[in-house]
Amino acid sequence: MKLLTANRLTDGLVLWYAGGPDLSGWNEDAALATRLEDEAAAALLEDWKARETEVVAPYLVPLLDENTLVKREYVREHVRANGPTAGQTAFDTARQHQRGEVF
Amino acid sequence: MYQYDQFDHAMVAARNAEFKDQVERRLKGELSEDQFKPLRLMNGLYLQLHAYMLRIAVPYGVLSSRQMRTFAHIARTYDRDFGHFTTRQNIQFNWIKLADTPQILEDLAAVEMHAIQTSGNCIRNTTTDQFAGAARDEIDDPRPWAELIRQWSTFHPEFTFLPRKFKIAITGATRDRAAIRVHDIGLQLTDKGFDVYVGGGMGRTPHLGHLIKSGLPGEKLLSYLEAALRVYNRYGRRDNIYKARIKILVSALGPQEYARQVEEEWATLDQAQIDAPHAEIARIKSFFPQPAYADKAFDAAALDRAKAADAGFARWVRNNTLAHRRDDHVSVTISLKPTGLPPGDASSAQMDVMADAADRFGYGELRVSHEQNIILPHVAKADLYDLYRLLDQNGLSSANVGKITDMIACPGLDYCSLANARSIPLAQDISQRFADAELTDKIGDLQIKISGCINACGHHHVGHIGILGVDKQGEEFYQILLGGRADEQAALGVITGKGLSAEAVPAALERLIKLYLDLRTDETERFIDTVGRLGRDAFAGALHEPA
Ligand code: HEM
Ligand code: SF4
């Protein structure tokens, strides 16, 4: 199982693929990301790699199950999904999306 | 400070217009990401974990109050209301929108700033002593020389695609506050000219620079640097990014052989074409006059009374001020290391306050230090208490300069896409653990430096205690290094003990410090001296929980 993620070209923010044919299908909230089967994920990745005016640097994040990151990726993807863990300045993605932390 | 002439203005304006066009073409899809990436990097725009990051050059760390207010404006208008001052005396904004960057660069150009050469394999911002022009132990002011190097190196056609990035640091004082021995080239100004150190660096293979030339006259500085860079540009390795820095070339050739080749190259150069004429050096020096010092009556007894009445102020004067060349002035360091907050961050409101403080009490001048603090280089002693109160009302009066909580920390895995582990939360935990000001004063001078990966942006190799974040199959671990120092007795720390989890680090440091307090001869023996006297091994055991 995999997630498709990238940064939006215009503002660089982390996005998660949540279905649909165009950019409006991507979401800043990782909780809403579509859980993809491996083959579908690989095909979508190829598709989105070519769509450079919409997203930058798309890649796949492997999951062990619905809500569990592979350990090797854990801290990095947790930080990308939830915002910096640090400080006065932490962008509290979870609060913005009115939900708890993802993963 | 230096003021742009018409050429500087025209150059930056042309570059900004060019980048604006590149951004527009990228947004329209006329440039691919592969084509655009090197162009944006040449203008300081990175893509990090969460967003674009813009790195703005603060030439040799010197800022006017007006420039600081522009940073506040950028933080407020285009970012999330804060900025991060870095060990390269620059500032980084972490949440920049691509489409906003042309306007940001225009706002910067209006105050004679830019983000050119803050990335890529070129000569980067030259760094120097944050107390330049003010410190009592200064032999000669390094700023005019740093400015001369800036003018020579900016857009230098031959050195735009070096094997790897290139960093020069200069100090003009007896105390080295610019860490010159861990830069590609380190310059020490003496009364006989420059001592030139080459081949220092950190990253995955740390080296201390080697002295290859003494007493180089200032008028010959540029041609000699040109020769040094040429030899590197020609023979530095381009086949392996990990072996591309000049430190690798210098250690492969041996410093003497490298120096010989530089001399040989230097002799072939048309030096008069390269070196700045006397009049030009004098012109640049004229931009760095002493301020028009106010003759404010200084009442030492009043200062003593204020200190006696306000213990926080007394501590701040003791820890955050440095002897000035004039008896009635001091240099003040504004610590950006308040308890429990990210080292080096400042909010837009704090930036405005620091700019106001500079205007009211510091002749409009500020500096960024490589320790990620802000300096008011010239403050009349008569103004100290008023300045302190202004800072104190705005969360800027931490009295911990040079102490255990005055840590350097790189952005780490909270922001940086190359990171292995987080740095900032660890710094926050340590700062909380040592929040007691009495205790930090008792511990005395101690530098902790934290990097989130082997690239060493947080200078962990030269921390008295260095902390290096590593990744062990998805878990963050921290290696502890002991015995490093960045000053005139530069030394590289050595990894001591086994890696620790983030939770284990603060307690390990507490045991380490307790042992030091037990072992030191008296309070004048600093941590680094005790480690030097007894050896690292005497401390290794304390890092781990007793079995
Ligand atoms: C967040 C984005 C950053 C990236 C991608 C980055 C990347 C790197 C890399 C790849 C190196 C190793 C160079 C080498 O060994 O050849 C390095 C070194 C260094 N960087 Fe950064 N860095 C970042 C942020 C910073 C910050 C915030 C600072 C200042 C606080 C900084 C200051 C330094 C210093 C002092 C070194 C070590 C000296 C040297 O070897 O050049 N960097 N950086
Ligand atoms: S040391 Fe590593 S983690 Fe820290 S800023 Fe540099 S590249 Fe990023």
Side-chain angles (χ1 to χ4, degrees), chain A residues 7 9-14 52-53 56 71-72 75-76 79 83-89 91, chain B residues 26 29 32-33 49-52 80 82 96 98 341 345 413-414 417 422 424-425 428 474-475:
Chain A
N7 296 74
L9 172 68
T10 52
D11 59 9
L13 291 186
V14 175
E52 285 207 318
T53 52
V56 186
K71 203 172 154 205
R72 182 166 48 82
V75 188
R76 181 186 166 91
V79 166
T85 59
Q88 71 197 8
T89 50
F91 173 48
Chain B
R26 175 69 185 97
S32 70
E33 184 60 17
L49 280 189
H50 305 285
Y52 294 102
R80 295 191 174 166
F82 74 102
I96 293 296
L98 177 59
L341 294 179
D345 278 8
L413 193 44
D414 282 297
S417 52
R422 285 171 291 172
I424 297 171
Q428 291 176 296
E475 271 181 81

mmCIF file of all heavy atoms in Angstrom, chain A residues 7 9-14 52-53 56 71-72 75-76 79 83-89 91, chain B residues 26 29 32-33 49-52 80 82 96 98 341 345 413-414 417 422 424-425 428 474-475:
data_model
loop_
_atom_site.group_PDB
_atom_site.id
_atom_site.type_symbol
_atom_site.label_atom_id
_atom_site.label_comp_id
_atom_site.label_asym_id
_atom_site.label_seq_id
_atom_site.Cartn_x
_atom_site.Cartn_y
_atom_site.Cartn_z
ATOM 1 N N ASN A 7 5.136 18.293 -3.749
ATOM 2 C CA ASN A 7 4.953 19.672 -3.317
ATOM 3 C C ASN A 7 4.245 20.427 -4.433
ATOM 4 O O ASN A 7 4.520 20.206 -5.612
ATOM 5 C CB ASN A 7 6.301 20.341 -3.035
ATOM 6 C CG ASN A 7 7.038 19.688 -1.874
ATOM 7 O OD1 ASN A 7 7.581 18.598 -2.004
ATOM 8 N ND2 ASN A 7 7.036 20.337 -0.736
ATOM 9 N N LEU A 9 3.596 23.249 -6.999
ATOM 10 C CA LEU A 9 4.558 24.128 -7.661
ATOM 11 C C LEU A 9 4.470 25.560 -7.129
ATOM 12 O O LEU A 9 5.482 26.183 -6.827
ATOM 13 C CB LEU A 9 4.334 24.140 -9.190
ATOM 14 C CG LEU A 9 5.189 25.189 -9.912
ATOM 15 C CD1 LEU A 9 6.666 24.834 -9.864
ATOM 16 C CD2 LEU A 9 4.727 25.379 -11.357
ATOM 17 N N THR A 10 3.266 26.099 -7.028
ATOM 18 C CA THR A 10 3.146 27.540 -6.778
ATOM 19 C C THR A 10 3.623 27.954 -5.394
ATOM 20 O O THR A 10 4.242 28.996 -5.243
ATOM 21 C CB THR A 10 1.685 28.008 -6.938
ATOM 22 O OG1 THR A 10 0.870 27.154 -6.141
ATOM 23 C CG2 THR A 10 1.263 27.959 -8.383
ATOM 24 N N ASP A 11 3.341 27.146 -4.371
ATOM 25 C CA ASP A 11 3.753 27.564 -3.026
ATOM 26 C C ASP A 11 4.637 26.547 -2.315
ATOM 27 O O ASP A 11 5.086 26.801 -1.195
ATOM 28 C CB ASP A 11 2.533 27.892 -2.151
ATOM 29 C CG ASP A 11 1.589 26.707 -2.009
ATOM 30 O OD1 ASP A 11 1.958 25.596 -2.438
ATOM 31 O OD2 ASP A 11 0.479 26.892 -1.477
ATOM 32 N N GLY A 12 4.895 25.414 -2.954
ATOM 33 C CA GLY A 12 5.808 24.430 -2.379
ATOM 34 C C GLY A 12 5.217 23.577 -1.269
ATOM 35 O O GLY A 12 5.894 22.708 -0.736
ATOM 36 N N LEU A 13 3.952 23.817 -0.902
ATOM 37 C CA LEU A 13 3.390 23.074 0.239
ATOM 38 C C LEU A 13 3.213 21.588 -0.080
ATOM 39 O O LEU A 13 2.992 21.197 -1.230
ATOM 40 C CB LEU A 13 2.050 23.679 0.662
ATOM 41 C CG LEU A 13 2.121 25.067 1.310
ATOM 42 C CD1 LEU A 13 0.750 25.483 1.823
ATOM 43 C CD2 LEU A 13 3.150 25.112 2.446
ATOM 44 N N VAL A 14 3.313 20.785 0.972
ATOM 45 C CA VAL A 14 3.196 19.335 0.825
ATOM 46 C C VAL A 14 1.748 18.973 0.486
ATOM 47 O O VAL A 14 0.810 19.435 1.139
ATOM 48 C CB VAL A 14 3.602 18.636 2.145
ATOM 49 C CG1 VAL A 14 3.363 17.130 2.057
ATOM 50 C CG2 VAL A 14 5.052 18.940 2.470
ATOM 51 N N GLU A 52 4.281 18.906 -14.538
ATOM 52 C CA GLU A 52 5.212 19.753 -13.791
ATOM 53 C C GLU A 52 4.707 21.152 -13.501
ATOM 54 O O GLU A 52 5.312 21.867 -12.716
ATOM 55 C CB GLU A 52 6.520 19.864 -14.573
ATOM 56 C CG GLU A 52 7.356 18.619 -14.506
ATOM 57 C CD GLU A 52 8.818 18.970 -14.685
ATOM 58 O OE1 GLU A 52 9.108 19.802 -15.554
ATOM 59 O OE2 GLU A 52 9.643 18.429 -13.937
ATOM 60 N N THR A 53 3.651 21.572 -14.165
ATOM 61 C CA THR A 53 3.136 22.907 -13.816
ATOM 62 C C THR A 53 2.203 22.816 -12.612
ATOM 63 O O THR A 53 1.710 23.827 -12.135
ATOM 64 C CB THR A 53 2.344 23.539 -14.971
ATOM 65 O OG1 THR A 53 1.362 22.604 -15.396
ATOM 66 C CG2 THR A 53 3.257 23.902 -16.121
ATOM 67 N N VAL A 56 5.648 19.379 -7.929
ATOM 68 C CA VAL A 56 7.085 19.175 -8.056
ATOM 69 C C VAL A 56 7.475 17.942 -7.250
ATOM 70 O O VAL A 56 6.954 17.713 -6.151
ATOM 71 C CB VAL A 56 7.866 20.388 -7.493
ATOM 72 C CG1 VAL A 56 9.359 20.242 -7.758
ATOM 73 C CG2 VAL A 56 7.351 21.688 -8.067
ATOM 74 N N LYS A 71 8.929 2.026 8.916
ATOM 75 C CA LYS A 71 9.748 2.631 9.954
ATOM 76 C C LYS A 71 10.873 3.514 9.377
ATOM 77 O O LYS A 71 11.151 4.596 9.867
ATOM 78 C CB LYS A 71 10.359 1.516 10.812
ATOM 79 C CG LYS A 71 10.742 2.002 12.186
ATOM 80 C CD LYS A 71 11.158 0.830 13.056
ATOM 81 C CE LYS A 71 12.097 1.307 14.141
ATOM 82 N NZ LYS A 71 12.964 0.276 14.634
ATOM 83 N N ARG A 72 11.462 3.028 8.301
ATOM 84 C CA ARG A 72 12.578 3.755 7.690
ATOM 85 C C ARG A 72 12.179 5.183 7.300
ATOM 86 O O ARG A 72 12.992 6.095 7.298
ATOM 87 C CB ARG A 72 13.045 2.957 6.458
ATOM 88 C CG ARG A 72 14.213 3.506 5.709
ATOM 89 C CD ARG A 72 14.751 2.439 4.742
ATOM 90 N NE ARG A 72 13.682 1.809 3.943
ATOM 91 C CZ ARG A 72 13.163 2.336 2.842
ATOM 92 N NH1 ARG A 72 13.581 3.496 2.405
ATOM 93 N NH2 ARG A 72 12.216 1.708 2.179
ATOM 94 N N VAL A 75 10.091 9.297 10.571
ATOM 95 C CA VAL A 75 10.178 10.661 11.102
ATOM 96 C C VAL A 75 9.942 11.674 9.992
ATOM 97 O O VAL A 75 9.158 12.616 10.126
ATOM 98 C CB VAL A 75 11.545 10.930 11.766
ATOM 99 C CG1 VAL A 75 11.517 12.276 12.475
ATOM 100 C CG2 VAL A 75 11.875 9.850 12.764
ATOM 101 N N ARG A 76 10.618 11.442 8.876
ATOM 102 C CA ARG A 76 10.509 12.379 7.760
ATOM 103 C C ARG A 76 9.059 12.546 7.297
ATOM 104 O O ARG A 76 8.565 13.669 7.161
ATOM 105 C CB ARG A 76 11.382 11.838 6.616
ATOM 106 C CG ARG A 76 11.390 12.693 5.404
ATOM 107 C CD ARG A 76 12.168 11.970 4.289
ATOM 108 N NE ARG A 76 11.920 12.622 3.031
ATOM 109 C CZ ARG A 76 12.663 13.595 2.553
ATOM 110 N NH1 ARG A 76 13.703 14.012 3.214
ATOM 111 N NH2 ARG A 76 12.360 14.165 1.407
ATOM 112 N N VAL A 79 6.825 14.241 9.848
ATOM 113 C CA VAL A 79 7.044 15.696 9.862
ATOM 114 C C VAL A 79 6.400 16.346 8.634
ATOM 115 O O VAL A 79 5.762 17.394 8.729
ATOM 116 C CB VAL A 79 8.560 16.008 9.933
ATOM 117 C CG1 VAL A 79 8.834 17.472 9.617
ATOM 118 C CG2 VAL A 79 9.112 15.665 11.310
ATOM 119 N N GLY A 83 3.695 18.792 9.884
ATOM 120 C CA GLY A 83 4.373 20.066 10.102
ATOM 121 C C GLY A 83 5.533 19.903 11.052
ATOM 122 O O GLY A 83 5.694 18.853 11.670
ATOM 123 N N PRO A 84 6.372 20.953 11.187
ATOM 124 C CA PRO A 84 7.527 20.865 12.083
ATOM 125 C C PRO A 84 7.065 20.548 13.502
ATOM 126 O O PRO A 84 5.988 20.984 13.912
ATOM 127 C CB PRO A 84 8.134 22.267 12.030
ATOM 128 C CG PRO A 84 7.573 22.920 10.837
ATOM 129 C CD PRO A 84 6.258 22.266 10.552
ATOM 130 N N THR A 85 7.872 19.787 14.213
ATOM 131 C CA THR A 85 7.487 19.409 15.567
ATOM 132 C C THR A 85 7.961 20.447 16.557
ATOM 133 O O THR A 85 7.788 20.289 17.755
ATOM 134 C CB THR A 85 8.112 18.049 15.935
ATOM 135 O OG1 THR A 85 9.540 18.183 15.823
ATOM 136 C CG2 THR A 85 7.626 16.956 15.025
ATOM 137 N N ALA A 86 8.596 21.515 16.043
ATOM 138 C CA ALA A 86 9.348 22.396 16.923
ATOM 139 C C ALA A 86 8.754 23.770 17.043
ATOM 140 O O ALA A 86 8.359 24.376 16.080
ATOM 141 C CB ALA A 86 10.768 22.533 16.376
ATOM 142 N N GLY A 87 8.656 24.223 18.303
ATOM 143 C CA GLY A 87 8.783 25.635 18.516
ATOM 144 C C GLY A 87 7.606 26.547 18.413
ATOM 145 O O GLY A 87 6.520 26.200 18.037
ATOM 146 N N GLN A 88 7.852 27.790 18.730
ATOM 147 C CA GLN A 88 6.889 28.885 18.695
ATOM 148 C C GLN A 88 6.269 28.938 17.321
ATOM 149 O O GLN A 88 5.192 29.479 17.108
ATOM 150 C CB GLN A 88 7.595 30.233 18.959
ATOM 151 C CG GLN A 88 8.476 30.703 17.814
ATOM 152 C CD GLN A 88 9.493 31.797 18.210
ATOM 153 O OE1 GLN A 88 9.664 32.129 19.328
ATOM 154 N NE2 GLN A 88 10.159 32.365 17.262
ATOM 155 N N THR A 89 7.024 28.392 16.381
ATOM 156 C CA THR A 89 6.754 28.670 15.025
ATOM 157 C C THR A 89 6.152 27.471 14.342
ATOM 158 O O THR A 89 5.920 27.501 13.163
ATOM 159 C CB THR A 89 8.087 28.983 14.422
ATOM 160 O OG1 THR A 89 8.949 27.943 14.799
ATOM 161 C CG2 THR A 89 8.611 30.279 14.932
ATOM 162 N N PHE A 91 4.076 25.012 12.564
ATOM 163 C CA PHE A 91 2.832 25.160 11.828
ATOM 164 C C PHE A 91 1.976 23.973 12.188
ATOM 165 O O PHE A 91 2.297 22.845 11.860
ATOM 166 C CB PHE A 91 3.131 25.197 10.330
ATOM 167 C CG PHE A 91 1.898 25.175 9.496
ATOM 168 C CD1 PHE A 91 0.846 26.019 9.790
ATOM 169 C CD2 PHE A 91 1.792 24.316 8.423
ATOM 170 C CE1 PHE A 91 -0.295 26.001 9.017
ATOM 171 C CE2 PHE A 91 0.652 24.311 7.647
ATOM 172 C CZ PHE A 91 -0.402 25.148 7.948
ATOM 173 N N ARG B 26 8.520 29.327 -15.609
ATOM 174 C CA ARG B 26 8.332 28.061 -14.894
ATOM 175 C C ARG B 26 6.855 27.850 -14.580
ATOM 176 O O ARG B 26 6.322 26.750 -14.767
ATOM 177 C CB ARG B 26 9.151 28.066 -13.600
ATOM 178 C CG ARG B 26 8.939 26.846 -12.712
ATOM 179 C CD ARG B 26 9.512 25.586 -13.343
ATOM 180 N NE ARG B 26 9.221 24.388 -12.569
ATOM 181 C CZ ARG B 26 8.203 23.555 -12.826
ATOM 182 N NH1 ARG B 26 7.385 23.783 -13.846
ATOM 183 N NH2 ARG B 26 8.021 22.485 -12.079
ATOM 184 N N GLY B 29 4.996 26.697 -17.463
ATOM 185 C CA GLY B 29 5.401 25.413 -18.018
ATOM 186 C C GLY B 29 6.413 25.513 -19.148
ATOM 187 O O GLY B 29 6.745 24.522 -19.784
ATOM 188 N N SER B 32 11.101 23.427 -17.493
ATOM 189 C CA SER B 32 10.829 22.241 -16.679
ATOM 190 C C SER B 32 11.478 22.430 -15.310
ATOM 191 O O SER B 32 12.301 23.332 -15.124
ATOM 192 C CB SER B 32 11.415 21.005 -17.353
ATOM 193 O OG SER B 32 12.835 21.068 -17.275
ATOM 194 N N GLU B 33 11.131 21.567 -14.359
ATOM 195 C CA GLU B 33 11.749 21.670 -13.035
ATOM 196 C C GLU B 33 13.263 21.456 -13.136
ATOM 197 O O GLU B 33 14.035 22.144 -12.474
ATOM 198 C CB GLU B 33 11.106 20.682 -12.060
ATOM 199 C CG GLU B 33 11.611 20.778 -10.625
ATOM 200 C CD GLU B 33 11.385 22.146 -9.954
ATOM 201 O OE1 GLU B 33 10.557 22.942 -10.442
ATOM 202 O OE2 GLU B 33 12.065 22.421 -8.951
ATOM 203 N N LEU B 49 11.462 20.457 3.007
ATOM 204 C CA LEU B 49 10.432 19.469 3.322
ATOM 205 C C LEU B 49 9.020 20.016 3.161
ATOM 206 O O LEU B 49 8.145 19.360 2.621
ATOM 207 C CB LEU B 49 10.584 18.973 4.759
ATOM 208 C CG LEU B 49 11.630 17.912 5.029
ATOM 209 C CD1 LEU B 49 11.485 17.398 6.449
ATOM 210 C CD2 LEU B 49 11.518 16.760 4.051
ATOM 211 N N HIS B 50 8.786 21.236 3.661
ATOM 212 C CA HIS B 50 7.410 21.726 3.694
ATOM 213 C C HIS B 50 7.081 22.750 2.639
ATOM 214 O O HIS B 50 5.912 22.999 2.374
ATOM 215 C CB HIS B 50 7.110 22.385 5.045
ATOM 216 C CG HIS B 50 7.387 21.509 6.202
ATOM 217 N ND1 HIS B 50 6.564 20.472 6.535
ATOM 218 C CD2 HIS B 50 8.410 21.486 7.073
ATOM 219 C CE1 HIS B 50 7.074 19.855 7.585
ATOM 220 N NE2 HIS B 50 8.188 20.445 7.922
ATOM 221 N N ALA B 51 8.083 23.419 2.123
ATOM 222 C CA ALA B 51 7.790 24.543 1.232
ATOM 223 C C ALA B 51 9.105 25.033 0.636
ATOM 224 O O ALA B 51 10.155 24.447 0.882
ATOM 225 C CB ALA B 51 7.114 25.667 2.014
ATOM 226 N N TYR B 52 9.009 26.123 -0.116
ATOM 227 C CA TYR B 52 10.234 26.755 -0.594
ATOM 228 C C TYR B 52 10.889 27.487 0.566
ATOM 229 O O TYR B 52 10.224 28.031 1.440
ATOM 230 C CB TYR B 52 9.926 27.761 -1.707
ATOM 231 C CG TYR B 52 9.402 27.115 -2.968
ATOM 232 C CD1 TYR B 52 8.052 27.140 -3.268
ATOM 233 C CD2 TYR B 52 10.266 26.487 -3.859
ATOM 234 C CE1 TYR B 52 7.563 26.548 -4.423
ATOM 235 C CE2 TYR B 52 9.789 25.894 -5.023
ATOM 236 C CZ TYR B 52 8.438 25.920 -5.297
ATOM 237 O OH TYR B 52 7.964 25.331 -6.435
ATOM 238 N N ARG B 80 5.580 32.944 7.564
ATOM 239 C CA ARG B 80 4.711 32.712 8.712
ATOM 240 C C ARG B 80 5.187 33.475 9.930
ATOM 241 O O ARG B 80 5.283 32.937 11.022
ATOM 242 C CB ARG B 80 4.610 31.212 8.976
ATOM 243 C CG ARG B 80 3.912 30.566 7.808
ATOM 244 C CD ARG B 80 3.520 29.157 8.033
ATOM 245 N NE ARG B 80 2.741 28.727 6.872
ATOM 246 C CZ ARG B 80 2.451 27.489 6.582
ATOM 247 N NH1 ARG B 80 2.864 26.529 7.374
ATOM 248 N NH2 ARG B 80 1.755 27.197 5.515
ATOM 249 N N PHE B 82 8.042 34.615 10.941
ATOM 250 C CA PHE B 82 9.335 34.468 11.604
ATOM 251 C C PHE B 82 10.417 34.159 10.580
ATOM 252 O O PHE B 82 10.136 33.831 9.433
ATOM 253 C CB PHE B 82 9.289 33.380 12.677
ATOM 254 C CG PHE B 82 9.267 31.976 12.121
ATOM 255 C CD1 PHE B 82 10.425 31.215 12.116
ATOM 256 C CD2 PHE B 82 8.109 31.428 11.614
ATOM 257 C CE1 PHE B 82 10.413 29.920 11.599
ATOM 258 C CE2 PHE B 82 8.091 30.139 11.109
ATOM 259 C CZ PHE B 82 9.257 29.383 11.093
ATOM 260 N N ILE B 96 8.073 30.174 1.806
ATOM 261 C CA ILE B 96 7.964 31.180 0.751
ATOM 262 C C ILE B 96 7.222 30.591 -0.448
ATOM 263 O O ILE B 96 7.426 29.443 -0.822
ATOM 264 C CB ILE B 96 9.395 31.621 0.353
ATOM 265 C CG1 ILE B 96 10.059 32.364 1.516
ATOM 266 C CG2 ILE B 96 9.384 32.453 -0.906
ATOM 267 C CD1 ILE B 96 9.396 33.660 1.917
ATOM 268 N N LEU B 98 6.562 30.416 -4.418
ATOM 269 C CA LEU B 98 7.353 30.672 -5.620
ATOM 270 C C LEU B 98 6.920 31.973 -6.293
ATOM 271 O O LEU B 98 7.750 32.807 -6.670
ATOM 272 C CB LEU B 98 7.192 29.488 -6.592
ATOM 273 C CG LEU B 98 7.907 29.618 -7.932
ATOM 274 C CD1 LEU B 98 9.403 29.804 -7.754
ATOM 275 C CD2 LEU B 98 7.624 28.377 -8.799
ATOM 276 N N LEU B 341 12.905 27.601 23.169
ATOM 277 C CA LEU B 341 12.492 28.003 21.816
ATOM 278 C C LEU B 341 13.595 27.678 20.806
ATOM 279 O O LEU B 341 14.742 27.461 21.170
ATOM 280 C CB LEU B 341 12.140 29.489 21.802
ATOM 281 C CG LEU B 341 10.897 29.842 22.647
ATOM 282 C CD1 LEU B 341 10.626 31.331 22.612
ATOM 283 C CD2 LEU B 341 9.671 29.081 22.162
ATOM 284 N N ASP B 345 15.720 31.597 15.776
ATOM 285 C CA ASP B 345 14.467 32.116 15.222
ATOM 286 C C ASP B 345 14.129 33.471 15.839
ATOM 287 O O ASP B 345 14.346 33.693 17.019
ATOM 288 C CB ASP B 345 13.299 31.168 15.526
ATOM 289 C CG ASP B 345 13.217 30.014 14.539
ATOM 290 O OD1 ASP B 345 14.145 29.864 13.723
ATOM 291 O OD2 ASP B 345 12.224 29.262 14.590
ATOM 292 N N LEU B 413 15.644 17.850 10.775
ATOM 293 C CA LEU B 413 14.554 17.148 10.079
ATOM 294 C C LEU B 413 13.186 17.822 10.230
ATOM 295 O O LEU B 413 12.217 17.409 9.610
ATOM 296 C CB LEU B 413 14.512 15.690 10.548
ATOM 297 C CG LEU B 413 13.668 14.684 9.770
ATOM 298 C CD1 LEU B 413 13.832 14.814 8.269
ATOM 299 C CD2 LEU B 413 13.989 13.263 10.190
ATOM 300 N N ASP B 414 13.104 18.880 10.998
ATOM 301 C CA ASP B 414 11.845 19.622 11.006
ATOM 302 C C ASP B 414 11.642 20.436 9.729
ATOM 303 O O ASP B 414 10.520 20.798 9.398
ATOM 304 C CB ASP B 414 11.764 20.541 12.226
ATOM 305 C CG ASP B 414 11.400 19.755 13.470
ATOM 306 O OD1 ASP B 414 10.298 19.201 13.491
ATOM 307 O OD2 ASP B 414 12.240 19.660 14.387
ATOM 308 N N SER B 417 15.476 18.844 3.931
ATOM 309 C CA SER B 417 15.221 17.605 3.199
ATOM 310 C C SER B 417 16.415 16.655 3.210
ATOM 311 O O SER B 417 16.288 15.513 2.805
ATOM 312 C CB SER B 417 14.796 17.920 1.769
ATOM 313 O OG SER B 417 15.728 18.786 1.186
ATOM 314 N N ARG B 422 16.149 15.223 13.853
ATOM 315 C CA ARG B 422 15.774 16.583 14.214
ATOM 316 C C ARG B 422 16.827 17.216 15.122
ATOM 317 O O ARG B 422 17.442 16.522 15.936
ATOM 318 C CB ARG B 422 14.410 16.567 14.909
ATOM 319 C CG ARG B 422 13.275 16.342 13.933
ATOM 320 C CD ARG B 422 11.972 16.106 14.624
ATOM 321 N NE ARG B 422 11.965 14.811 15.313
ATOM 322 C CZ ARG B 422 11.005 14.409 16.117
ATOM 323 N NH1 ARG B 422 9.977 15.196 16.350
ATOM 324 N NH2 ARG B 422 11.066 13.219 16.682
ATOM 325 N N ILE B 424 16.247 20.878 16.279
ATOM 326 C CA ILE B 424 15.633 21.954 17.068
ATOM 327 C C ILE B 424 14.941 21.421 18.332
ATOM 328 O O ILE B 424 15.179 21.943 19.425
ATOM 329 C CB ILE B 424 14.660 22.780 16.201
ATOM 330 C CG1 ILE B 424 15.437 23.470 15.070
ATOM 331 C CG2 ILE B 424 13.939 23.824 17.034
ATOM 332 C CD1 ILE B 424 14.544 24.130 14.023
ATOM 333 N N PRO B 425 14.130 20.360 18.232
ATOM 334 C CA PRO B 425 13.483 19.880 19.460
ATOM 335 C C PRO B 425 14.504 19.419 20.503
ATOM 336 O O PRO B 425 14.287 19.608 21.708
ATOM 337 C CB PRO B 425 12.630 18.692 18.992
ATOM 338 C CG PRO B 425 12.477 18.877 17.532
ATOM 339 C CD PRO B 425 13.687 19.608 17.053
ATOM 340 N N GLN B 428 15.761 22.410 22.162
ATOM 341 C CA GLN B 428 14.735 22.914 23.086
ATOM 342 C C GLN B 428 14.737 22.127 24.394
ATOM 343 O O GLN B 428 14.644 22.699 25.476
ATOM 344 C CB GLN B 428 13.362 22.825 22.420
ATOM 345 C CG GLN B 428 13.219 23.801 21.264
ATOM 346 C CD GLN B 428 11.887 23.629 20.539
ATOM 347 O OE1 GLN B 428 11.629 22.580 19.957
ATOM 348 N NE2 GLN B 428 11.060 24.645 20.581
ATOM 349 N N GLY B 474 15.377 4.324 10.531
ATOM 350 C CA GLY B 474 14.150 5.055 10.789
ATOM 351 C C GLY B 474 14.044 5.635 12.178
ATOM 352 O O GLY B 474 13.060 6.285 12.497
ATOM 353 N N GLU B 475 15.027 5.405 13.023
ATOM 354 C CA GLU B 475 14.988 6.026 14.336
ATOM 355 C C GLU B 475 16.100 7.046 14.465
ATOM 356 O O GLU B 475 17.208 6.835 13.984
ATOM 357 C CB GLU B 475 15.152 4.963 15.420
ATOM 358 C CG GLU B 475 13.828 4.372 15.836
ATOM 359 C CD GLU B 475 14.021 3.342 16.924
ATOM 360 O OE1 GLU B 475 14.149 3.748 18.091
ATOM 361 O OE2 GLU B 475 14.062 2.146 16.590
#
